Structure formats: structure tokens, C-alpha cells
């Protein structure tokens, strides 16, 4: 008789929704992954991607044993080796480099899994003990995250469930249906109750299709729009004077700044109609409660930090925070209760203070020869939970860096990604169905536990296990690695994450999730986490970045020119998660092939018809893909939906062939959506 069990888990992906999963296992094989009905935010519903989790887990191309490179760097040619051989060799190589200078070793990781254990525990202990370079994890959310912290004091905001009670929702720089589906469920609820939904996005996204209004502004002009909204709130006196007086800092200065932004001026900058701006200001000034779902899509430009600050000021002007269904949500990760220091043990650094390298400029970092200010040349890189060759900006440089024959590269992953193709060793990692982990969320305020549903496939080991095993090898060479904290099991690490917090581990074991105790309306009576305790319109601490302490419109780095007249943005495709799932056949079929969306006028001017093969290029490189003339791009803007693997591309590239490594005003983050290009029809065979 078939033995069937159901195991509770958590979605590991870099998605604000952090769904609660239930995996059905029949005789040791996972047959179905579904949403947990009992978890309110998940509501028993998963996105299309994670509904295919078993297809990804049992994928024929999964890496199931350690591999050693046999071909040239980047060729993707490997031979199987034993774990013993791989671990011995890696430990010996890392030890030899560390003897000379541990900072020549760089760990590179992001959010392939958001788990506290498989993402930021044993790995950090290992690299801290080694004294390796530290990584500035800026590639996604840092402009917005630091800007929010500079305004509210942390990544804090509205509770997502209360959007269901809002009367007006601004969905700003977010394609919620694609990338924040479980917020969209609350927005739908509000819509059914009569709320108005407004989408602010340069692309006519799937979400824009379903909103009452769509302001299709030019990329990188959001601060101008926000300042013009303030202008209208001021001149029409749609202000909450009492809230402003009690709970904000720098109102007089911000008011003076905003009065320089009449809607006529902003309309020019944003490429919008004056009436659209006036209408939005009227709605925002006169509808209560009004809520803003801000998302990271609008901060991937030079002025992304300033733009987030400008928008984050808006709720205080109208006193929206007084109601639990008013305010703003960008990220709620600041409420995380986790004991990060206990997991990561920064004390293992001792008195060492290694340099910090920015992951967003990994191309330049790997190509740097090393000097007094940079420090040593990078000699070894250990990549896990990330696929930088596909996702980091200016791929030509990233690929050249990873192609260095003298760079020792270890990649932990499930698949032979573009990055794994460049490895000296590929180590097979377990998926979320095969390991323990514990998760917070940046889109809701619950904690989730993930229990393994099935045994590790093939010879796969969890990330934490791999770093434990490496530590055990290192112990023979460096006695400090023999310490007990390099032996904590994955389950023990889950317990450590919440020990001494308001979260009860037994509760997690029983239900799979638990709520963090929190107020319903975080800033109803001020109480911002800033030094002043107020919403900091004016933040003097920003002077150290050399930027204005008041939010302002900062134009993009790459204004369109005659040579490169089109602005390219590259937001994610609905059926991929960054570059994850691009190799899952059923999902790739839906996304079809790498596409560039164009406005019919921009296409016609170039003799391009829907489906034609085209070249999109600038001084950094060229990406060949197919035209999609589907009504989603506005004139002057093209949209390269991401993120395909480079090796899926017609000419072995993806959209990041075109993006650059310059950084945002706040947060040292990439400017993926601040990118000027030209497009031409590609002659087949040319
Ligand atoms: N299906 C799916 N879901 C995902 C992901 C995925 O790859 N696929 N990725 C996950 C990750 S890592 C993240 S960070 C989030 C990202 O999700 P979001 O934070 O929502 O960000 P993006 O998807 O990058 O962009 C959202 C929208 O912003 C628009 N946009 C681009 N430039 C601008 C601008 O200058 N101003 C304004 N107002 N809008 C702009 C884009 O056209 C897009 O429709 O989603 C997560 N969820
Ligand atoms: N042009 C352009 N570029 C972008 C973006 C964009 O919008 N446009 N978005 C940016 C954003 S928001 C982000 S967050 C980054 C994302 O960049 P990454 O964090 O690199 O995300 P993924 O591409 O999903 O790659 C994650 C990898 O981790 C692996 N992985 C998953 N779970 C595990 C595990 O448990 N163990 C190990 N060892 N590996 C695991 C997956 O197989 C996958 O290969 O990309 C950025 N790049
Ligand atoms: S990717 Fe997002 S929406 Fe999909 S299952 Fe995971 S958390 Fe839920
Ligand atoms: Mo991200």
C-alpha cells in the first residue's frame, strides 16, 4: 500500500509572499506541492512557478554529484568526483590562499533561498573564521531599503492584510500579479469593496491591466511625480497639519522643495499629462484610508533612493498612518525577530576587519588586479544561492571575470547555470524539499518553518552541511575550525534563529508558521524608528553621502541620446524567479523565448514586426532576441523581460549584456532600469 504523508514547509524564493507549503509525499517521492490553507497570507494558493516545484526538484539535468572542471573555464565540461576528493581539494586550495591573504577569498551569495539556515548561518561562520572578504549584498533592494531606513528608521510599514480595507491603493513600481501575488489578493478584496486601484509603472503590466488607472511614466521619474503630488496636497490644503507638526522632521524644507514642482513641470519630466497628476493628487488627498504598495522595480535607477524617500514621505502629509489600512509598504523585513549574530557569529572575525566588496560590481571586482586601496586581487570565489553570470550587470565584464583561468571558483547549486559553467568545482545542493530551514518575510509578518519532505536527491547536501564538511576538512589545517559551532545541525540552527524571541519553536513545529506580535498601525502616533522618532523628511545624516538631505528628483545616468534613444527596463517575467525556473520546460514554454517589448511606433520606425528577430545594443554589447509588439511598452521605452540564462540567448547573452555597473544614489545598488539602448532588425543568418 502506498504510504502518503503531508509535510509543511515554506517557499524559499526571493519573493515578498513567503508562502506556506504543503508537500504530499508518496513512498518517499514528492508528488505535489500546494499552498497551506491554514496560513492566511498563502490562502492555499501558490504561483505557477512553485506549483511546478516537483518538476524542478526531479529535473533530469539536476546536478546530483560533485563535479570537477575538465574543459576550459566557462565550457561547462566536468567530470564526477567523490565528495571526499572535492572537499579535500577545496579546503587545501582555500587554506593555501588564506595563508597568504584570506581577503583574496570572496564568498558570493544572494537569495536563491531566503532561508536563515541555508542562506546566512554556517556559511557566514565559515568565512568569518577564515577572515575572507565580506560581501555588500546590494543587488536587489538596497537603494530602497536604505532610503526607507533613512526616512522611517527601518524596513517597516503597513501590514499587508490591511490593504484589504483600503479605499485607494497606489501600486507603485510593482507588477503585483507577477511578483507579489498574495498582496494582489488583498488588493482584489479592496477592489470588490469599492476601492480604487492605481498603477504607476512605465510598462502596461498585467497588474496595470487590472487597475482603474495607470500612470505610465518614464523610468526613473518617480521622485518628480511624488513631489508634484505634494505640491497639489499643499496648494489644495489636503494636509494633516497635526500629524505633520507632531510626527515629522523637516516639513518646512520639504514644503519649499515641493512647491518647486508644479504638475506642469513634473508632467514634462515624467512624460505624463498634467491632468493625470492632478487627478491622482486629488484622489490621494481626499480618499481615506489611502495606501501605497511600493516595490523595488522603481528603485533600480540612479535616483532610486531619493525616489523611495520622496514617496515614503507622502503618507505623513495626509496622515494616512493614523489608520491601519493607510500608509505604505515597501518591505516589512525590519520586524524580523531572528538572532542573526547567533547564527552568523561575526565574533569569529576576532580583531580582523576584512574589506567589503560590492556584489553589484562583481565584473569590476573580479577583473581588478589589486592595489593598495582595493587590497589583494580576488583569487577564489565561492558562489551559492546566486547566479551572478546571468543576473549581475554588465555581463561581458562578469563573464570575463569568471573566465579568469587563475581564479579558483566553487559553485553550490542545483543546476549547471551560467555561473556553474565557470566553476572549478560544482557542488550539488539540496532543494527546499530536502532540507530544514526557517524563514521570515519581507511582504508579511509571519515566521515559517520548512521541514524536509524527502531525502536529499543523489549525493546532494544542504548548504549548511557543505560548509560544516568544509570546516571539518579545514580543521586538519587550522585548528580553530574544529570548534563545536561548526557542528550545529541544520535543525539546531533553526532553533537558534528564534531562541529567546517571541516565536515559539514548538508552535512552528506544530503549525508551520507563527505570527510576530505587532501593532496594527505602526506609526499611528509617530513612533518611527529614526533617531528623532519622527518621519525624517529631512535627514541630516544623508549629507555624508554627498547628497541633498531632502528628497529630490535625480535624473537617470543614461538619458536617451541620438545614438541610443530608447530607455530599456528589464523586470522579471511572471513565470521565472530571477534566473531560477528559466530551465524548467513547462514554465519556459509559457515565456516562449527571450523577448523585447516595443511600442508600435518605435518598432515601425525600425521596420520591425511582431516576432521579428532583433538586435538590442549599446556601447557595452549586443543582445539578440525577438520583438513583442503587445501594447505593453510605451513610446521611447523598451522592455526586456528577464531573466533568461545567457546560454538560452540567440547570441549567448541576456539583457544584462546591456546594463552597467554604476550605482544608485543611496544604497550602492545596481541601476538595471537606467539603461539606454538602440534596436535594429536582425537579418537572419547575418
Ligand atoms: N514572478 C516573479 N516574481 C518575483 C520575481 C521574479 O523574478 N518573478 N523576483 C522577486 C524579486 S527578487 C524581487 S526583488 C521582486 C521584484 O518585484 P518588484 O519589486 O515588483 O520589481 P520589478 O518586478 O523589478 O518591477 C516591478 C514593476 O516596476 C516597473 N518599473 C520599472 N522601472 C520603473 C520606474 O522607474 N518607475 C516605476 N514606477 N516603475 C518601474 C516595471 O515595469 C515592473 O512592472 O519580485 C520578486 N518576485
Ligand atoms: N537585468 C536585470 N537584472 C536583474 C534583475 C532585474 O530585474 N533585471 N533583478 C535583480 C534582482 S531583484 C535580484 S534579487 C537578483 C537575483 O539574483 P540571484 O540571487 O542570483 O537569483 P537567481 O537568479 O534566482 O539565482 C539563484 C540561484 O540559487 C540557486 N539556489 C536556490 N536554492 C538554493 C540552495 O538551497 N542552495 C544552493 N546552493 N543554491 C540554491 C538557484 O538554483 C539559482 O541558480 O537579480 C538581479 N538582476
Ligand atoms: S514564489 Fe512567491 S508566490 Fe510563489 S510560492 Fe513562493 S512565495 Fe508564494
Ligand atoms: Mo530581488
Amino acid at each position: 500500500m502506498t504510504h502518503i504523508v503531508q509535510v509543511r514547509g515554506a517557499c524559499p524564493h526571493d519573493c515578498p509572499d513567503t508562502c506556506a507549503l504543503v508537500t504530499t509525499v508518496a513512498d518517499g517521492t514528492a508528488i505535489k506541492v500546494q499552498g497551506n490553507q491554514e496560513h492566511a497570507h498563502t490562502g492555499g494558493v501558490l504561483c505557477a512557478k512553485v506549483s511546478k516545484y516537483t518538476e524542478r526538484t526531479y529535473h533530469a539535468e539536476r546536478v546530483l554529484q560533485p563535479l570537477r572542471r575538465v574543459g576550459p573555464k566557462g565550457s561547462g565540461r566536468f567530470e564526477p568526483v567523490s565528495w571526499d576528493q572535492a572537499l579535500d581539494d577545496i579546503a587545501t586550495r582555500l587554506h593555501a590562499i588564506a595563508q597568504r591573504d584570506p581577503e583574496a577569498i570572496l564568498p558570493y551569495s544572494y537569495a536563491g533561498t531566503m532561508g536563515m539556515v541555508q542562506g546566512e548561518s554556517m556559511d557566514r561562520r565559515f568565512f568569518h573564521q577564515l577572515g575572507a572578504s565580506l560581501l555588500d549584498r546590494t543587488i536587489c533592494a538596497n537603494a530602497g531599503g536604505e532610503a526607507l531606513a533613512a526616512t522611517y528608521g527601518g524596513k517597516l510599514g503597513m501590514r499587508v492584510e490591511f490593504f484589504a480595507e483600503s479605499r485607494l491603493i497606489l501600486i507603485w513600481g510593482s507588477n503585483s500579479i507577477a511578483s507579489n501575488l498574495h498582496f494582489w489578493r488583498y488588493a482584489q478584496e479592496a477592489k470588490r469593496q469599492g476601492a480604487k486601484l492605481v498603477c504607476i509603472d512605465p510598462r502596461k503590466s498585467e497588474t496595470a491591466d487590472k487597475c482603474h488607472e495607470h500612470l505610465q511614466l518614464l523610468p526613473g521619474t518617480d521622485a518628480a511625480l511624488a513631489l508634484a503630488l505634494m505640491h497639489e496636497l499643499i496648494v489644495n490644503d489636503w494636509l494633516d497639519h497635526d500629524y505633520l507638526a507632531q510626527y515629522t522632521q523637516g516639513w518646512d524644507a520639504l514644503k519649499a522643495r515641493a512647491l518647486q514642482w508644479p504638475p506642469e513641470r513634473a508632467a514634462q519630466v515624467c512624460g505624463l499629462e498634467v491632468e493625470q497628476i492632478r487627478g491622482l493628487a486629488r484622489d490621494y488627498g481626499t480618499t481615506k484610508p489611502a495606501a501605497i504598495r511600493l516595490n523595488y522595480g522603481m528603485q533600480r535607477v540612479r535616483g532610486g533612493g531619493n525616489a523611495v524617500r520622496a514617496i515614503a514621505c507622502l503618507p505623513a502629509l495626509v496622515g494616512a498612518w493614523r489608520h491601519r489600512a493607510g500608509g505604505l509598504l515597501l518591505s516589512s523585513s525590519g520586524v524580523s525577530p531572528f538572532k542573526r549574530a547567533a547564527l552568523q557569529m561575526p565574533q569569529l572575525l576576532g580583531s580582523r576587519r576584512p574589506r567589503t566588496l560590492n556584489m553589484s560590481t562583481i565584473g569590476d571586482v573580479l577583473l581588478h588586479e589589486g592595489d593598495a586601496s582595493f587590497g589583494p586581487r580576488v583569487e577564489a570565489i565561492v558562489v551559492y544561492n546566486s547566479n551572478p553570470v546571468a543576473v549581475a550587470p554588465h555581463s561581458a565584464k562578469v563573464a570575463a571575470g569568471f573566465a579568469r583561468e587563475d581564479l579558483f571558483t566553487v559553485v553550490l547549486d542545483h543546476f549547471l547555470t551560467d555561473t556553474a559553467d565557470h566553476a572549478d568545482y560544482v557542488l550539488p545542493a539540496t532543494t527546499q524539499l530536502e532540507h530544514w530551514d526557517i524563514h521570515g518575510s519581507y511582504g508579511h509578518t509571519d515566521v515559517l518553518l520548512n521541514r524536509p519532505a524527502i531525502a536529499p536527491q543523489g549525493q546532494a547536501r544542504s548548504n549548511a552541511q557543505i560548509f560544516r564538511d568544509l570546516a571539518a576538512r579545514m580543521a586538519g589545517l587550522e585548528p580553530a575550525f574544529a570548534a563545536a559551532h561548526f557542528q550545529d545541525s541544520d535543525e539546531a540552527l533553526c532553533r537558534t534563529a528564534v531562541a529567546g524571541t517571541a516565536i515559539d519553536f514548538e508552535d512552528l513545529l506544530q503549525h508551520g508558521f507563527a505570527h510576530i506580535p505587532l501593532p496594527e498601525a505602526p506609526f499611528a502616533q509617530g513612533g518611527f524608528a529614526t533617531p528623532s522618532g519622527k518621519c525624517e523628511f529631512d535627514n541630516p545624516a544623508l549629507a555624508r553621502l554627498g547628497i541633498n538631505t531632502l528628497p529630490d528628483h535625480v535624473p537617470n545616468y543614461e538619458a536617451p541620446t541620438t545614438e541610443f534613444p530608447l530607455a530599456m527596463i528589464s523586470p522579471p517575467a511572471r513565470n521565472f524567479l530571477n534566473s531560477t525556473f528559466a530551465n524548467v520546460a513547462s514554465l519556459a514554454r509559457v515565456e516562449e523565448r527571450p523577448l523585447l517589448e516595443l511600442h508600435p511606433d518605435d518598432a515601425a520606425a525600425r521596420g520591425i514586426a511582431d516576432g521579428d528577430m532583433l538586435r538590442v545594443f549599446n556601447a557595452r554589447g549586443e543582445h539578440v532576441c525577438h520583438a513583442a509588439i503587445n501594447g505593453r511598452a510605451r513610446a521611447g521605452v523598451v522592455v526586456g523581460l528577464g531573466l533568461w540564462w545567457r546560454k538560452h540567448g540567440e547570441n549567448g547573452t541576456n539583457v544584462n549584456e546591456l546594463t552597467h555597473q554604476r550605482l544608485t544614489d543611496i544604497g550602492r545598488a545596481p541601476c538595471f532600469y537606467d539603461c539606454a539602448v538602440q534596436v535594429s532588425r536582425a537579418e537572419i543568418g547575418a
Side-chain angles (χ1 to χ4, degrees):
M1 222 183 78
T2 319
H3 179 61
I4 296 200
V5 287
Q6 293 202 312
V7 183
R8 291 197 199 89
C11 176
H13 291 296
D14 188 353
C15 168
D17 298 18
T18 318
C19 290
L21 308 180
V22 177
T23 302
T24 305
V25 183
D27 291 335
T29 301
I31 53 172
K32 216 171 11 184
V33 177
Q34 290 165 295
N36 185 346
Q37 300 275 4
E38 289 159 29
H39 184 243
H41 299 304
T42 307
V45 183
L46 299 181
C47 63
K49 307 175 287 292
V50 174
S51 305
K52 305 285 185 197
Y53 218 72
T54 54
E55 187 179 341
R56 187 174 187 275
T57 305
Y58 297 115
H59 198 297
E61 288 160 15
R62 210 169 133 197
V63 177
L64 293 174
Q65 55 191 333
L67 302 174
R68 180 168 61 194
R69 175 164 73 95
V70 290
K73 274 277 163 104
S75 65
R77 294 202 344 252
F78 298 98
E79 63 182 7
V81 288
S82 69
W83 269 109
D84 280 341
Q85 226 173 345
L87 292 168
D88 279 338
D89 196 22
I90 295 166
T92 310
R93 295 285 293 267
L94 293 182
H95 177 68
I97 296 170
Q99 289 289 91
R100 291 196 301 280
D101 189 344
E103 292 186 31
I105 299 168
L106 177 65
Y108 191 101
S109 69
Y110 200 62
T113 166
M114 302 271 296
M116 299 306 295
V117 172
Q118 308 307 340
E120 37 191 308
S121 64
M122 200 52 78
D123 53 317
R124 308 293 168 96
R125 294 182 186 181
F126 180 83
F127 291 111
H128 286 150
Q129 181 65 59
L130 204 56
S133 287
L134 302 172
L135 187 73
D136 200 5
R137 290 183 170 77
T138 55
I139 202 154
C140 168
N142 231 49
E146 290 196 3
L148 204 69
T151 318
Y152 300 164
K155 287 184 172 174
L156 302 166
M158 276 179 69
R159 289 193 17 203
V160 66
E161 56 270 37
F162 298 132
F163 277 88
E165 301 167 11
S166 305
R167 303 295 299 162
L168 172 71
I169 304 179
L170 275 45
I171 300 181
W172 201 323
S174 168
N175 184 3
S176 314
I177 292 180
S179 60
N180 193 186
L181 186 64
H182 296 78
F183 154 76
W184 179 250
R185 293 173 67 243
Y186 292 119
Q188 287 281 91
E189 175 61 27
K191 193 179 172 188
R192 278 194 293 274
Q193 305 294 324
K196 181 167 181 180
L197 268 47
V198 181
C199 180
I200 303 173
D201 193 315
R203 174 174 186 252
K204 189 166 186 297
S205 64
E206 296 87 333
T207 308
D209 288 342
K210 298 267 162 46
C211 288
H212 298 99
E213 270 178 42
H214 177 207
L215 271 66
Q216 197 167 7
L217 77 187
L218 288 164
T221 64
D222 299 273
L225 176 60
L227 287 163
L229 295 178
M230 290 180 205
H231 180 281
E232 293 300 286
L233 298 175
I234 294 165
V235 301
N236 292 291
D237 198 21
W238 289 318
L239 299 169
D240 185 331
H241 294 282
D242 178 58
Y243 196 94
L244 284 166
Q246 287 200 63
Y247 306 129
T248 70
Q249 169 175 299
W251 170 233
D252 288 341
L254 181 65
K255 185 174 170 185
R257 162 77 36 93
L259 287 173
Q260 296 164 5
W261 282 93
E264 290 75 11
R265 179 178 175 200
Q268 286 277 324
V269 170
C270 302
L272 294 172
E273 300 295 326
V274 176
E275 247 337 287
Q276 289 180 291
I277 300 177
R278 287 231 164 83
L280 179 60
R282 189 176 314 114
D283 285 342
Y284 191 69
T286 60
T287 315
K288 290 180 196 322
I292 302 176
R293 182 56 169 112
L294 189 60
N295 228 321
Y296 289 115
M298 46 70 62
Q299 47 101 67
R300 309 193 198 290
V301 293
R302 180 188 186 183
N306 266 279
V308 166
R309 271 182 44 71
I311 297 164
C313 293
L314 287 167
L317 268 69
V318 296
W321 291 115
R322 292 187 190 274
H323 195 291
R324 67 180 188 178
L328 176 146
L329 174 62
L330 171 59
S331 167
S332 53
S333 66
V335 303
S336 167
F338 296 128
K339 299 286 187 191
R340 283 198 155 75
L343 291 173
Q344 305 182 10
M345 300 196 154
Q347 69 272 23
L348 298 178
L349 283 170
S351 59
R352 297 169 297 183
R353 288 293 171 270
R355 66 174 168 187
T356 300
L357 296 172
N358 190 341
M359 70 185 307
S360 299
T361 54
I362 187 63
D364 282 345
V365 163
L366 291 179
L367 294 175
H368 204 295
E369 296 291 337
D371 60 27
S373 70
F374 181 80
R377 181 161 216 221
V378 176
E379 292 181 58
I381 184 164
V382 182
V383 181
Y384 52 102
N385 301 341
S386 187
N387 182 11
V389 175
V391 308
H394 203 161
S395 326
K397 286 196 174 182
V398 183
F402 274 96
R404 272 175 47 196
E405 283 291 334
D406 65 329
L407 179 72
F408 180 62
T409 303
V410 179
V411 176
L412 287 58
D413 208 310
H414 307 138
F415 293 102
L416 288 181
T417 62
D418 291 327
T419 308
D421 280 349
H422 291 79
D424 292 279
Y425 280 98
V426 183
L427 302 178
T430 45
T431 69
Q432 190 78 342
L433 299 191
E434 300 152 58
H435 56 227
W436 283 92
D437 217 328
I438 187 163
H439 292 256
S441 170
Y442 59 100
H444 62 66
T445 48
D446 295 339
V447 169
L448 283 78
L449 182 71
N450 185 74
R451 290 182 189 235
I454 57 172
Q457 298 300 289
Q459 298 180 36
R461 296 182 183 180
S462 75
N463 289 347
Q465 180 65 38
I466 293 172
F467 287 104
R468 268 195 298 275
D469 293 343
L470 274 175
R473 289 305 198 281
M474 295 293 283
L477 306 161
E478 267 186 64
F481 279 98
H485 45 251
F486 289 113
Q487 280 138 44
D488 290 345
S489 71
D490 290 12
E491 187 188 340
L493 290 165
C494 289
R495 289 177 185 273
T496 300
V498 289
T501 72
I503 301 295
D504 177 9
F505 195 76
E506 299 311 312
D507 209 24
L508 287 175
L509 282 172
Q510 212 179 340
H511 301 287
F513 59 89
H515 309 301
I516 303 170
L518 289 168
E520 293 190 344
F523 308 133
Q525 278 133 16
F528 291 89
T530 52
S532 62
K534 298 184 173 186
C535 180
E536 299 201 346
F537 297 154
D538 193 0
N539 181 337
L542 289 171
R544 88 192 128 75
L545 296 179
I547 63 171
N548 199 305
T549 60
L550 279 175
D552 201 357
H553 169 60
V554 179
N556 278 0
Y557 283 117
E558 300 207 335
T561 59
T562 7
E563 199 181 5
F564 303 119
L566 299 167
M568 185 187 82
I569 58 173
S570 47
R574 183 172 178 176
N575 289 285
F576 300 159
L577 208 132
N578 301 319
S579 77
T580 304
F581 297 105
N583 66 328
V584 174
S586 64
L587 295 170
R589 262 198 304 277
V590 186
E591 296 298 340
E592 238 178 306
R593 56 188 176 180
L595 296 175
L596 188 79
E597 297 176 341
L598 294 111
H599 187 270
D601 294 348
D602 291 324
R606 292 164 178 78
I608 295 170
D610 189 44
D612 280 357
M613 203 193 279
L614 55 76
R615 302 165 52 231
V616 44
F617 58 95
N618 57 24
R620 289 175 291 274
E622 170 174 312
H623 173 52
V624 179
C625 61
H626 288 82
I629 304 171
N630 55 10
R632 299 209 177 278
R634 61 163 284 162
V637 179
V638 294
V639 185
L641 289 181
L643 269 171
W644 293 86
W645 292 5
R646 276 165 69 79
K647 55 186 163 189
H648 296 143
E650 295 279 353
N651 67 336
T653 64
N654 71 9
V655 283
N656 280 321
E657 193 70 8
L658 304 161
T659 53
H660 56 82
Q661 296 179 84
R662 297 180 76 180
L663 302 175
T664 51
D665 53 350
I666 300 175
R668 310 165 302 286
C671 296
F672 290 115
Y673 303 170
D674 176 346
C675 176
V677 299
Q678 179 55 296
V679 174
S680 71
R681 198 160 170 268
E683 300 306 327
I684 309 290

